[in-house]
Amino acid sequence: MISTLRIGLVMALFVVLLLAMNARLFYLNIIDGDFLQDQGDARTIRMERINAHRGMIRDRRGKPLAVSSPVVSLWANPQELPLSSEQLAPIAISLGIDSAEFVARVNAARDRPFIYLRRHMRPKEARTVLDMNTPGLYGEREYHRYYPSGEVAAHLVGFTNIDDHGQEGVELSFDDWLAGTPGKKKVLKNLYGEIIRDLVPVSDAVAGKHLDLSIDIRLQYLAYRELKSAVSHYKAKSGTVVVLDVETGRILAMVNQPSYNPNNRTRLDLASVRNRAVTDVFEPGSTVKPFTVAVALMSGLYQADSVIDTSPGFIKVGSKTIRDPSNRGELDLGGIIARSSQVGISKLALTLDEFEVAAMFQKVGYGQSTGVGLPGESNGYLPNYRRWNDIDRAAFAYGYGLTVTPLQLAASYLTIASGGLRRDVGLLNEGNLKETRVYSKSVADELKSMLARVISEGTGGKASITAYRVAGKTGTVRKIGENGYLDTEHLAFFAGMTPLKNPKLVGVVLINEPKTKAYGGGSIAAPVFSRVMGSALRLLNVPPDDPGGAA
Amino acid sequence: MTMAARSVFVPPTRCPVDPVVMGSALFLLLAGLIMVASASIEVSARTYGNPHYLLMRHATYLAAGLGVGGLALLTPLSVWQKLEYPLLGLSFVLLIAVLIPGIGKEVNGASRWISLGFFRLQGSEFVKLFSILYIAGYLVRRKEEVQLRFSGFFKPLAVVAAMALLLLIQPDFGASVVIVAAVLGVIFLSGIPMRFFLPVIAVCATLVGLLVTLQPYRLARLTAFTDPWQHQFSGGYQLTQALIAFGRGEWFGLGLGNSIQKLFFLPEAHTDFLFSILAEEMGVVGAGLVILVFTCLVIRALMIGRTAAKQGEDFHAYTAFGIALLIGVQASINLGVNLGLLPTKGLTLPLMSYGGNSLIISCALVGMLLRIEYECRHKMAVLPRGRNRG
């Protein structure tokens, strides 16, 4: 017999199940809801980056040297892109690429969720492609770096890579400052990582800070123009010009040849990327002679008018003979510098405490970082012998056996221009001036007037500037090859300051391996110095200190 | 007396079908259609390139299901009673055919389907219906034998055991549990002496225990079920994703179409785990309502069976019990799995989940139930009132 009781039991069982399931439903949805929602969020909510605008790099007058503009990078998820070539073709056409090639590329990446189609498109162009509403096609806001001054400031400013990270120059050394902080936004993603919904922005992107350099782009331009024409005229391998502001130690211009276009680096020659003004070292040769003379003046053994007999034009030191081009006879200290007498400076050096000379070189900045903060800067080389033999003492005094960078050479000449003060060179338009006295003002004034004689009666005549007086020193060194010094490859340079009375600018010009008959610093580097500094003085409205010379 | 119970005595001319069964079934079918539309949209778009692909298929099956249900409603129950043996035979043919390579189609390691070109026939769904018709017929024919001798009870059990065995070979553990539970339930309700019944229950429980522990993949599912978060990247993945769906739903849900779990996180969102998506989009309120309607449908079916029994229409009664138990057991297992009360098992939610076979057979069951109620009510109307003791 069918039992009513049993039917009732089964009904009761289903009612119990009803209650049990509703209780469980309540537990899951309400009691355990927070835990389960957190678990769900952990699987679905992701943080997306909002790219930050990179700060501008500007020159001392606010002219832009590097600017970021918004661009759109097109990317695709090949797993979502339409399968048929007919639907893919319009994308290829609007991108201006071969559609067969495009289809092949997409099909080759079908197992991947991400490929870039084209990066850094103009927003308007990207919009026309995105407006076709092809599934699987996306745009990402990025920033493209543009360098208005191109190759002129390329070495200083450097460049960023396509991901907006600094790779060279101040773009690299001040990357953190410029980069800013990317923002974050919460997004909801499905299992395949596709963004379903933008949720709240968690933090806005903080734009990078602007960087104001001490460079004056006008000086940079004219220095670059003069250097480029000189390097091509002399068929030189490379060249460098550095101009410093005496008052602050700041760099006003720093140019090199060869250079490159930072806006189009498709055919970049790596040798042209180097900022030779800080990375390349050379033996400074005669340009260090003033500092040897400074030690002589400070030793109390010599006065400015002390006379050294350089006859007969050569001197035997140890096994080596040091020669002047001709017998220069009796020279005072200024004469030794003006005529650049190796014999005179050697004789002088051999009477001095060699450790004092080395200490002076060290004090004017050789063998150590300038602190300018440019990537790849070389410290140069300053020997630190325990015992010096005579030939080393003599060679050291006229600038062999140590190496410096063009910037170090400029910085050391700044100590003369500033009246014996060493000022740290800098690249930024701000920060405190740091100076230390390295020798007295009277020594500096003596050196200045000796260096002025280099222009008026010595090797540096071609460095003279109309209406301004110049003090400076030429340098010509032979380059070192596999078998010692080479007779045919030279480095011609000039370091100087102007105007003489109260120097405003210090400049260094260096021409590497000129292929012309005349290869000396006086004939090759000095004219460049004259043209660059002359234009710079006029541009900066520096009053002439030699109006009579104007005629 | 409830309104549902009263309706049995409504003359056939006033209401052609039972409103509770009809209302519950239509509610569940409609809710199922809406939820399948929502849960399948992303899967359809990604897999078939058309966001409405699975919805259109479901709608087609639903139309077919309504047709089949209508036919069942028009078919006198005596027809089914006469077809008892042919249908039993057909059950075994189907169960064996799916196992034969070339006829049976294997999907995800289980060969459960026979491909008919436009439609994949799932044998076990039909066997569910045929098995309860068989047991109902058997219990009517061997009324005395079943009550008196254990052999009378044991014979149909052997037949059902053979079906269950064939289902386990596929393997389709879920379907065999549903069929065995429904058949045993019908036998229990038929009033069989407990001294026959209890040992069989004990044996069945032991067998299920052995099946679970002996097959490593089932044991793994079981351990994953007891602590899904420990196995969230292996066996417990699906369950944790289902639980997250519930947790998101809170009281009123995220709103229709707003499920996150259906974005491919929860596998089988439109089939076996449709209820989780429902709970996510509709909350405790919507999901609780669905559980309630299922319970109403099952209890109403049991009441219809009881009424038939009182009228002495035993075949009607047993069939109604069978339908109640098939729907009740399968729905309970599916909901239990979704809610993490039972180990994960591949069973659809009757009347709601995507899946043509399940939907059509569910509709057929409802159609038959309506027919039983109709025939009983009709008989009641023509009988003298004095004989009505209910």
Side-chain angles (χ1 to χ4, degrees):
Chain A
M1 269 315 288
I2 294 175
S3 150
T4 313
L5 175 69
R6 290 189 184 184
I7 298 172
L9 273 175
V10 173
M11 285 182 182
L13 173 73
F14 279 106
V15 171
V16 168
L17 283 176
L18 165 87
L19 295 175
M21 287 194 280
N22 273 307
R24 173 73 174 170
L25 189 63
F26 175 77
Y27 170 78
L28 289 178
N29 283 37
I30 310 298
I31 313 264
D32 211 17
D34 286 343
F35 166 76
L36 292 171
Q37 281 174 28
D38 287 348
Q39 289 289 338
D41 290 350
R43 288 158 177 75
T44 51
I45 291 180
R46 295 286 177 266
M47 291 291 183
E48 284 286 297
R49 236 169 74 111
I50 307 170
N51 290 319
H53 187 271
R54 191 176 174 87
M56 226 195 297
I57 300 176
R58 298 182 293 211
D59 86 337
R60 62 166 49 214
R61 293 163 61 248
K63 292 275 180 283
L65 303 177
V67 287
S68 280
S69 54
V71 289
V72 175
S73 287
L74 275 190
W75 62 276
N77 181 344
Q79 295 170 358
E80 292 172 32
L81 283 176
L83 290 167
S84 72
S85 308
E86 292 80 57
Q87 281 171 280
L88 290 174
I91 304 175
I93 291 164
S94 59
L95 287 172
I97 48 181
D98 182 57
S99 53
E101 216 169 274
F102 177 71
V103 171
R105 195 178 142 215
V106 166
N107 285 334
R110 282 289 180 192
D111 56 336
R112 275 179 272 163
F114 182 97
I115 53 167
Y116 273 122
L117 295 184
R118 177 168 298 171
R119 295 194 69 171
H120 292 197
M121 293 177 78
R122 269 187 228 141
K124 210 174 151 193
E125 290 172 359
R127 187 44 49 204
T128 58
V129 182
L130 287 169
D131 278 348
M132 299 194 307
N133 282 324
T134 315
L137 202 62
Y138 303 90
E140 185 196 5
R141 159 66 60 93
E142 290 189 306
Y143 292 95
H144 181 75
R145 205 69 166 155
Y146 176 66
Y147 302 98
S149 49
E151 62 184 57
V152 170
H155 293 116
L156 263 179
V157 174
F159 53 84
T160 58
N161 65 6
I162 197 152
D163 293 319
D164 224 19
H165 300 306
Q167 300 295 299
E168 266 293 347
V170 294
E171 289 273 38
L172 174 60
S173 46
F174 292 90
D175 195 37
D176 287 345
W177 174 273
L178 291 163
T181 316
K184 279 186 203 158
K185 60 176 177 181
K186 257 191 194 173
V187 295
L188 185 67
K189 288 191 169 185
N190 71 10
L191 188 64
Y192 299 99
E194 298 155 8
I195 295 172
I196 302 303
R197 230 178 285 155
D198 273 1
L199 304 172
V200 283
V202 176
S203 59
D204 287 329
V206 180
K209 294 181 277 287
H210 298 317
L211 185 67
D212 290 313
L213 299 185
S214 58
I215 299 301
D216 187 322
I217 194 63
R218 300 171 302 175
L219 265 60
Q220 183 84 3
Y221 264 109
L222 67 93
Y224 186 80
R225 189 185 63 211
E226 294 302 337
L227 178 67
K228 191 170 184 177
S229 78
V231 164
S232 89
H233 183 257
Y234 297 120
K235 299 182 177 64
K237 209 169 166 185
S238 65
T240 295
V241 172
V242 175
V243 180
L244 298 182
D245 177 39
V246 173
E247 212 173 304
T248 61
R250 299 289 184 251
I251 299 171
L252 291 175
M254 180 186 269
V255 296
N256 301 285
Q257 272 291 303
S259 188
Y260 62 95
N261 179 3
N263 296 310
N264 181 4
R265 305 192 296 273
T266 44
R267 277 191 296 257
L268 188 61
D269 175 11
L270 285 178
S272 69
V273 176
R274 224 159 62 230
N275 186 358
R276 293 161 196 267
V278 295
T279 61
D280 286 17
V281 295
F282 59 96
E283 287 178 299
S286 309
T287 44
V288 304
K289 282 176 187 168
F291 303 111
T292 309
V293 169
V295 174
L297 291 172
M298 289 162 77
S299 70
L301 299 173
Y302 299 93
Q303 314 298 318
D305 53 2
S306 300
V307 172
I308 307 265
D309 186 6
T310 67
S311 299
F314 60 87
I315 177 177
K316 229 172 140 60
V317 180
S319 60
K320 225 187 145 201
T321 306
I322 296 168
R323 293 174 192 281
D324 281 338
S326 60
N327 184 356
R328 302 247 152 102
E330 290 193 342
L331 294 170
D332 64 357
L333 297 189
I336 289 173
I337 290 187
R339 309 297 301 275
S340 205
S341 165
Q342 310 293 70
V343 176
I345 204 79
S346 300
K347 279 190 159 178
L348 196 65
L350 290 172
T351 64
L352 297 173
D353 180 349
E354 61 273 20
F355 293 102
E356 288 289 324
V357 178
M360 173 60 74
F361 286 3
Q362 208 258 333
K363 277 192 266 184
V364 299
Y366 299 157
Q368 58 210 280
S369 165
T370 60
V372 73
L374 283 166
E377 189 190 5
S378 167
N379 289 345
Y381 170 69
L382 191 62
N384 186 18
Y385 301 132
R386 284 249 203 95
R387 267 203 306 274
W388 297 72
N389 59 35
D390 284 350
I391 183 68
D392 284 339
R393 288 170 69 187
F396 197 58
Y398 55 81
Y400 281 84
L402 72 157
T403 61
V404 299
T405 64
L407 183 62
Q408 280 176 332
L409 185 61
S412 67
Y413 268 63
L414 193 134
T415 63
I416 303 172
S418 65
L421 292 167
R422 175 177 167 185
R423 290 174 178 149
D424 285 352
V425 295
L427 193 52
L428 300 185
N429 208 10
E430 52 184 40
N432 297 325
L433 182 71
K434 235 178 77 190
E435 56 183 25
T436 41
R437 180 157 292 281
V438 289
Y439 46 84
S440 68
K441 185 166 188 315
S442 59
V443 171
D445 287 341
E446 306 263 26
L447 294 179
K448 247 188 324 192
S449 50
M450 289 178 198
L451 289 172
R453 284 172 64 188
V454 175
I455 314 301
S456 56
E457 60 187 76
T459 52
K462 288 181 176 169
S464 62
I465 301 168
T466 309
Y468 295 95
R469 296 185 64 199
V470 174
K473 182 73 194 82
T474 58
T476 310
V477 294
R478 288 187 288 168
K479 292 185 76 178
I480 299 173
E482 281 174 17
N483 303 309
Y485 289 102
L486 303 169
D487 288 334
T488 52
E489 291 178 9
H490 295 83
L491 214 53
F493 48 99
F494 185 89
M497 64 208 68
T498 182
L500 181 63
K501 207 170 269 171
N502 185 17
K504 293 285 179 203
L505 302 175
V506 163
V508 164
V509 176
L510 183 138
I511 308 284
N512 178 21
E513 285 184 38
K515 296 286 187 308
T516 42
K517 219 178 244 171
Y519 55 81
S523 46
I524 288 183
V528 177
F529 178 91
S530 165
R531 285 196 290 274
V532 172
M533 301 303 258
S535 306
L537 288 169
R538 285 186 284 274
L539 209 57
L540 298 174
N541 289 323
V542 178
D545 64 343
D546 186 22
Chain B
M1 197 176 269
T2 63
M3 208 180 92
R6 218 172 28 243
S7 71
V8 173
F9 309 109
V10 172
T13 46
R14 284 198 25 214
C15 185
V17 291
D18 181 65
V20 175
V21 173
M22 196 65 184
S24 304
L26 287 180
F27 174 86
L28 293 172
L29 287 171
L30 190 65
L33 182 70
I34 293 168
M35 286 320 299
V36 166
S38 169
S40 70
I41 188 161
E42 296 288 336
V43 176
S44 291
R46 178 167 282 266
T47 316
Y48 305 103
N50 169 9
H52 305 305
Y53 180 83
L54 289 170
L55 172 64
M56 295 322 284
R57 287 190 73 108
H58 187 76
T60 311
Y61 296 141
L62 183 57
L66 289 175
V68 169
L71 282 175
L73 178 57
L74 295 175
T75 311
L77 219 59
S78 54
V79 173
W80 296 111
Q81 200 170 1
K82 278 177 208 136
L83 286 174
E84 182 196 329
Y85 279 111
L87 290 181
L88 182 64
L90 182 59
S91 296
F92 280 95
V93 169
L94 285 173
L95 288 176
I96 291 166
V98 292
L99 296 176
I100 299 170
I103 300 173
K105 192 165 163 58
E106 192 172 314
V107 176
N108 296 335
S111 91
R112 295 179 186 172
W113 293 274
I114 297 169
S115 187
L116 299 178
F118 61 99
F119 184 69
R120 276 200 320 213
L121 190 113
Q122 192 176 355
S124 60
E125 289 293 336
F126 292 85
V127 172
K128 280 175 191 167
L129 170 61
F130 300 160
S131 64
I132 61 154
L133 288 173
Y134 161 73
I135 196 67
Y138 179 88
L139 289 173
V140 169
R141 277 186 286 109
R142 307 287 178 89
K143 203 167 180 171
E144 279 75 34
E145 193 185 343
V146 171
Q147 293 292 336
L148 297 174
R149 281 200 298 277
F150 185 74
S151 65
F153 169 51
F154 186 75
K155 273 188 267 179
L157 278 189
V159 173
V160 171
M163 285 181 179
L165 193 66
L166 286 168
L167 283 168
L168 287 174
I169 296 174
Q170 291 185 6
D172 192 345
F173 187 65
S176 58
V177 166
V178 170
I179 287 171
V180 169
V183 166
L184 283 175
V186 173
I187 293 173
F188 171 75
L189 288 173
S190 75
I192 192 149
M194 291 306 274
R195 65 175 192 280
F196 295 165
F197 192 69
L198 284 180
V200 172
I201 291 294
V203 169
C204 282
T206 313
L207 278 176
V208 168
L210 278 177
L211 276 173
V212 166
T213 44
L214 286 183
Q215 281 181 283
Y217 82 91
R218 291 215 175 91
L219 191 65
R221 275 187 182 181
L222 196 69
T223 53
F225 152 72
T226 50
D227 190 0
W229 299 102
Q230 194 66 47
H231 304 90
Q232 54 177 303
F233 301 115
S234 53
Y237 174 79
Q238 201 170 15
L239 180 54
T240 55
Q241 295 293 350
L243 294 180
I244 288 168
F246 284 101
R248 285 225 179 88
E250 297 183 1
W251 280 110
F252 298 103
L254 298 173
L256 187 62
N258 288 340
S259 162
I260 296 164
Q261 294 306 95
K262 73 180 181 188
L263 304 173
F264 316 105
F265 290 105
L266 178 59
E268 304 295 337
H270 60 293
T271 59
D272 299 351
F273 281 86
L274 189 73
F275 184 70
S276 301
I277 302 298
L278 177 102
E280 187 183 7
E281 296 193 347
M282 298 301 183
V284 172
V285 173
L289 183 63
V290 165
I291 299 176
L292 183 69
V293 172
F294 265 113
T295 312
C296 278
L297 178 62
V298 170
I299 289 183
R300 179 69 192 140
L302 290 169
M303 286 165 70
I304 289 169
R306 189 174 62 188
T307 308
K310 282 174 182 163
Q311 292 177 7
E313 295 289 351
D314 284 358
F315 184 74
H316 290 61
Y318 296 141
T319 308
F321 292 153
I323 291 168
L325 289 165
L326 276 185
I327 293 176
V329 169
Q330 183 157 346
S332 298
I333 293 178
N334 178 278
L335 298 179
V337 165
N338 271 265
L339 286 160
L341 292 168
L342 293 172
T344 303
K345 188 101 295 328
L347 272 183
T348 56
L349 187 57
L351 298 167
M352 290 187 70
S353 285
Y354 176 84
N357 291 282
S358 164
L359 197 58
I360 288 167
I361 293 300
S362 302
C363 287
L365 291 175
V366 171
M368 278 168 100
L369 188 60
L370 290 171
R371 178 73 198 185
I372 292 165
E373 192 272 339
Y374 172 82
E375 286 184 9
C376 291
R377 181 152 40 101
H378 206 78
K379 190 178 172 189
M380 185 71 59
V382 296
L383 282 175
R385 283 202 172 256
R387 282 191 62 188
N388 176 17
R389 285 165 292 150

